[in-house]
Amino acid sequence: MAELQYEAEAPSGNYYAADLQAVFRCGDDSVTVKGFYAGDGIYKLRFLPLRTGIYSYSVSGIISDQGEIYAEPADESHHGIPQADGTHLRFSDRTLFTPFGTTIYALAHQSDELTEKTIESLATSPFNKVRLCVFPKHYQYNHNEPALYPFLTLQGKTPDTVSRENGPLSQITEPLWDTSKPDPAFWDAFEEKLIRLEKLGITADLILFHPYDRWGFSILSREESMQYLDYAMRRLSAFPNLMWSLANEFDLIPGRTMEDWYAFENYVAENDPFHHMLSNHNCFVLYDYGRPNITHVSIQTRDPSRVLSLMKFGKPVLIDECGYEGNLEETFGCLSGQEMSDRFWKVTVSGGYCTHGETFVNYDSDSPDDEVVFWAKGGAIIGESPARIAYLRSIIEHLPGPVEGIAGSGFAPMLYMSREELEGLAGILPPAYARIVRSVGEMGEEERLYHLTTESEYNGHVGELVFIRYFGRDIHSRIQMDLPETHSYTVEVIDTWNMTRSVAASGQSGVCKIRVPEKQWLAVMAVIEN
Amino acid sequence: MAELQYEAEAPSGNYYAADLQAVFRCGDDSVTVKGFYAGDGIYKLRFLPLRTGIYSYSVSGIISDQGEIYAEPADESHHGIPQADGTHLRFSDRTLFTPFGTTIYALAHQSDELTEKTIESLATSPFNKVRLCVFPKHYQYNHNEPALYPFLTLQGKTPDTVSRENGPLSQITEPLWDTSKPDPAFWDAFEEKLIRLEKLGITADLILFHPYDRWGFSILSREESMQYLDYAMRRLSAFPNLMWSLANEFDLIPGRTMEDWYAFENYVAENDPFHHMLSNHNCFVLYDYGRPNITHVSIQTRDPSRVLSLMKFGKPVLIDECGYEGNLEETFGCLSGQEMSDRFWKVTVSGGYCTHGETFVNYDSDSPDDEVVFWAKGGAIIGESPARIAYLRSIIEHLPGPVEGIAGSGFAPMLYMSREELEGLAGILPPAYARIVRSVGEMGEEERLYHLTTESEYNGHVGELVFIRYFGRDIHSRIQMDLPETHSYTVEVIDTWNMTRSVAASGQSGVCKIRVPEKQWLAVMAVIEN
């Protein structure tokens, strides 16, 4: 990221909508970026070169300047911005990006000491994407008052107008924040964290709005929200390791209409010169992932079998909340390590991308609600799933390409077919099989959905090179793979929990039967031999 | 069961539709039963007295006779016929019947030796309902040729016209069976098995048709099928320990239309003088359980969360196939003991009734397909779930009444409410909660269904006397129960897998928090103290 810095008189009114922009040109490429006021009489303009070479720039507005920067070839650890590529993700340099996400919602609002610990944890973790919020979070196990806020308060107001003891938002009877005055100290500190993540090769999945609030950030007017977005886009868009999440559980934010969301979505899409990925995360109601600005599906669901049907959007499917490994009283945070690992395997083999979170609390402590829970604040990772997610990642990253899901075992492929397609299939089958196919055709949508959601086996492939089948909780003594007749394959059995793999058979093609140990959490992977 | 027996000339033509009936009268009660030809010049009429006292009878048709029988009070082990009572089941004497079912499809077609072993297994099992077929079964792990068939063959034909090696049904090019000539030897042997079950207190969930066939029983004409039903109704209706299952996977039987099924359903309903329970079991397409003749829901689904929505019919919900405990290659028979036990708990706590099956095969044997698999043929029970099902049964049978399900934790109850109901609720809640409620209102049906199918906690109650909550795979360090404020309760923690229970707290009412061990398969049960 290149940064131009100028001294000039501080704005007399608002900090947003600064009249400062620059055009960066390299060959045919031309990108216009907007500058922002960074405090202390400093203005900045940020630019991310996505090709190697000499860029000329021309600054206009309250400052006029011209110059050149030379973009050197990136080292091996830098690949540019993650972008959607069909149902997968690639960085700007076309390197495949396989997100293995985790969640630290209030990472930006913790002490330096805790942040160091978090960074240490992330450094040895398998995670290369973190969901985190810009605004502080008020929720169970999320109560600490942050040191800094994205805006300064209105004159005469202080954040402790809103006390922890009182219900979220209910105490706010008059405006508290001056959204025209972002606090550069907050944004500097926030960016430090983004840079720390970047150094670890971690993409920040940045949550712009959320409902867990006692300060009033979730009930800003649309105009105030736009001022916030204006400043955030100017400051952050040139970071490479970013993707935008309009909200966490957008549908739970009081008072927001779909028109608000579409306005925010359009604003981000139009004002991010580098076109980072953009989605919106739900609680109950799904956002419309078919909208052109939306680059990927980012949903909350406990059900990995949804990945295949969400592929209808032709975009990457990120299961950005599927429950968390932990011991919480709440139903969202009580998965065993095996369950969390299981969901990663199911989502990954289906061609989607899964997101982790960790929620362990010691209810014997003096104040369980103030415990440092990784999913909320960071700190140590103590769960059992990250080692298994690392093992999965090591397998997936050695494949010759991204995994595509295959509708599961047995009858599942038929569940997607239209009545006409099924009738056509039935016409060429013996009567007993034709009857099965016709029965599927007679299923209502609800019935089909139930069949999908209770699918037990998960199948994926990389072209004809690799076929993977994951069995989850099912225990088989023997399994079947349906491989192409035209090649021969070596079949490995993978114990996804104990993290071992062994060759079970080689020279396999067509329908092959493989004896497997009678245990849960197994996968088999057939790799082409020549 | 009372039986009248007469000698008379054997029928010259068909055995069905014998002109023989009797009216049994006791006070205001009057029941007409039809007789049947039992072979060897013997005709029989069967009657099941459902009250104590003197019944007069009058036989007419090819035989005329009159007389009386005295129905003594039943001993403690006999309660009459299971009947639907709202969403629960009671025997004729109003004793509650809580089915804990298992599956031995081809029980009727195995050797005496194996049958003895099966009866021994059942005697020490928790099962009080068995699903079994009248016709022999041709399917994976179901290939033995039975000794007897329900009908005699047509002249010059033998059952080995159809050989095991050939595909099911495809070899049948001309009629093989004389449906006008049921084989009394088959029916005598079959009834012996029903009697053995009755002595164990086990209800036979009798499957009248099924698609797994190499003999042609599934492709009889409607008229032939009606002849079969005529004879079956005459012989079997007076057995107390019966319920009718029109079919297993009715929708997979080739060539059958819904009109056929409705004709069969009406025939059974009209020709069973004792009105046994009646349903029809599906593979893909659900039967219409709202039909007046249909007394209960009998479905195949792997998803226990469906129980609550199936309660809409106001009839008992029997999950008669949810996967089987075993190690099969096939996806229907690869549940761990924990998974099978888990489904029983989920279904039971939801107010439904679950059915077991066991499918272990030794793939190292010379012919895995000929192994004796309990679900197919009976024999020994070796799985781990039956002990847990017995434990569950012991708990449930000591409750003061049948369990009613409660839509699960958190938001689930809202998932059933109409938009209007939700709007009404939102109107009386603080803004943040109102937003949640409105968001549920905006969910499409598909979204709501997904939420239901991924519900993780299961709640049930017996009035205000008992509240049960089952956590399945979720691991909590502390749980919450929402008990009535008006009573005090003792709360027990039940380890459903290790089959232990211990009191965790007493004197509880309202919202109470209970510390629980951090393990899977726990339930908590709050029992009223006074």
Side-chain angles (χ1 to χ4, degrees), chain A residues 400-428:
Chain A
V403 176
E404 305 286 346
I406 311 172
S409 58
F411 305 113
M414 290 191 291
L415 300 175
Y416 292 111
M417 295 166 76
S418 70
R419 235 170 225 253
E420 291 66 35
E421 288 172 321
L422 288 165
E423 190 52 45
L425 181 59
I428 58 170

Side-chain angles (χ1 to χ4, degrees), chain A residues 78-144:
Chain A
H78 292 81
H79 302 284
I81 298 174
Q83 304 286 358
D85 180 40
T87 61
H88 301 290
L89 297 88
R90 291 184 187 275
F91 291 104
S92 314
D93 69 356
R94 305 292 298 157
T95 308
L96 205 59
F97 175 43
T98 309
F100 287 85
T102 189
T103 312
I104 318 174
Y105 284 127
L107 171 61
H109 306 281
Q110 309 306 320
S111 68
D112 289 347
E113 192 190 0
L114 180 55
T115 303
E116 286 311 312
K117 206 167 163 186
T118 306
I119 293 292
E120 264 175 51
S121 298
L122 288 171
T124 54
S125 84
F127 304 117
N128 58 14
K129 174 170 104 62
V130 171
R131 282 181 68 75
L132 76 162
C133 302
V134 178
F135 292 126
K137 187 173 179 193
H138 172 82
Y139 198 68
Q140 290 100 301
Y141 320 108
N142 287 262
H143 286 296
N144 67 298

Side-chain angles (χ1 to χ4, degrees), chain A residues 107 112 115-120 122-123 189-203 239 241:
Chain A
L107 171 61
D112 289 347
T115 303
E116 286 311 312
K117 206 167 163 186
T118 306
I119 293 292
E120 264 175 51
L122 288 171
F190 186 71
E191 287 167 2
E192 271 308 306
K193 299 198 178 182
L194 296 185
I195 291 165
R196 296 298 295 273
L197 294 177
E198 201 277 335
K199 284 183 179 155
L200 296 175
I202 295 174
T203 294
F239 278 78
N241 61 319

Side-chain angles (χ1 to χ4, degrees), chain A residues 207-440:
Chain A
I207 296 163
L208 293 167
F209 297 99
H210 66 253
Y212 332 107
D213 183 24
R214 68 172 179 267
W215 302 272
F217 297 120
S218 65
I219 55 171
L220 298 174
S221 69
R222 193 196 287 190
E223 190 192 350
E224 290 169 326
S225 300
M226 288 295 195
Q227 293 172 8
Y228 154 65
L229 289 178
D230 171 86
Y231 195 75
M233 291 301 112
R234 287 167 185 252
R235 284 200 73 127
L236 303 179
S237 289
F239 278 78
N241 61 319
L242 268 194
M243 46 208 285
W244 307 115
S245 187
L246 282 178
N248 211 63
E249 297 188 331
F250 82 94
D251 51 324
L252 297 193
I253 300 185
R256 288 271 181 264
T257 64
M258 289 314 294
E259 287 63 41
D260 291 328
W261 290 113
Y262 297 152
F264 298 156
E265 176 204 301
N266 289 334
Y267 191 88
V268 172
E270 285 162 18
N271 288 277
D272 169 4
F274 301 99
H275 309 298
H276 292 81
M277 293 178 72
L278 171 61
S279 193
N280 201 3
H281 166 277
N282 69 302
C283 181
F284 293 104
V285 185
L286 294 194
Y287 200 65
D288 177 3
Y289 300 106
R291 292 173 61 83
N293 289 329
I294 298 298
T295 57
H296 62 288
V297 177
S298 166
I299 75 160
Q300 172 173 189
T301 178
R302 296 173 76 107
D303 181 0
S305 76
R306 297 190 75 169
V307 172
L308 283 175
S309 52
L310 291 166
M311 289 291 170
K312 69 184 175 193
F313 295 108
K315 301 177 180 179
V317 174
L318 277 63
I319 306 298
D320 273 328
E321 190 174 339
C322 66
Y324 307 117
E325 180 180 358
N327 67 353
L328 292 195
E329 182 183 312
E330 290 86 356
T331 54
F332 63 77
C334 53
L335 298 183
S336 68
Q338 291 175 330
E339 285 295 312
M340 186 90 244
S341 166
D342 177 69
R343 291 178 194 194
F344 263 80
W345 271 88
K346 285 175 174 169
V347 168
T348 304
V349 168
S350 302
Y353 302 96
C354 196
T355 298
H356 162 271
E358 183 172 297
T359 50
F360 286 100
V361 161
N362 176 11
Y363 286 103
D364 289 329
S365 75
D366 291 340
S367 175
D369 207 39
D370 289 323
E371 293 255 302
V372 174
V373 179
F374 186 79
W375 142 92
K377 303 176 181 176
I381 296 176
I382 60 172
E384 297 182 296
S385 66
R388 280 74 189 188
I389 295 166
Y391 186 68
L392 169 62
R393 182 175 169 182
S394 74
I395 291 171
I396 296 299
E397 292 192 337
H398 283 89
L399 296 180
V403 176
E404 305 286 346
I406 311 172
S409 58
F411 305 113
M414 290 191 291
L415 300 175
Y416 292 111
M417 295 166 76
S418 70
R419 235 170 225 253
E420 291 66 35
E421 288 172 321
L422 288 165
E423 190 52 45
L425 181 59
I428 58 170
L429 289 172
Y433 296 101
R435 189 68 195 90
I436 291 175
V437 170
R438 291 203 173 95
S439 188
V440 173

Side-chain angles (χ1 to χ4, degrees), chain A residues 251 285 306 327-329 331 334 339 364 439 447 449-450 453 473 475-478 513 515 518, chain B residues 251 285 306 327-329 334 339 364 439 447 449-450 453 473 475-478 513 515 518:
Chain A
D251 51 324
V285 185
R306 297 190 75 169
N327 67 353
L328 292 195
E329 182 183 312
T331 54
C334 53
E339 285 295 312
D364 289 329
S439 188
E447 277 311 300
L449 188 61
Y450 268 121
T453 55
R473 290 183 281 271
I475 297 176
H476 300 280
S477 179
R478 190 173 76 182
K513 310 255 187 188
R515 292 296 301 274
E518 292 189 14
Chain B
D251 51 323
V285 185
R306 296 190 74 170
N327 66 354
L328 292 195
E329 182 182 311
C334 53
E339 285 294 311
D364 289 330
S439 188
E447 277 312 299
L449 188 61
Y450 267 122
T453 55
R473 289 183 281 272
I475 297 177
H476 300 280
S477 179
R478 189 172 77 180
K513 309 256 187 189
R515 292 295 300 274
E518 292 189 16

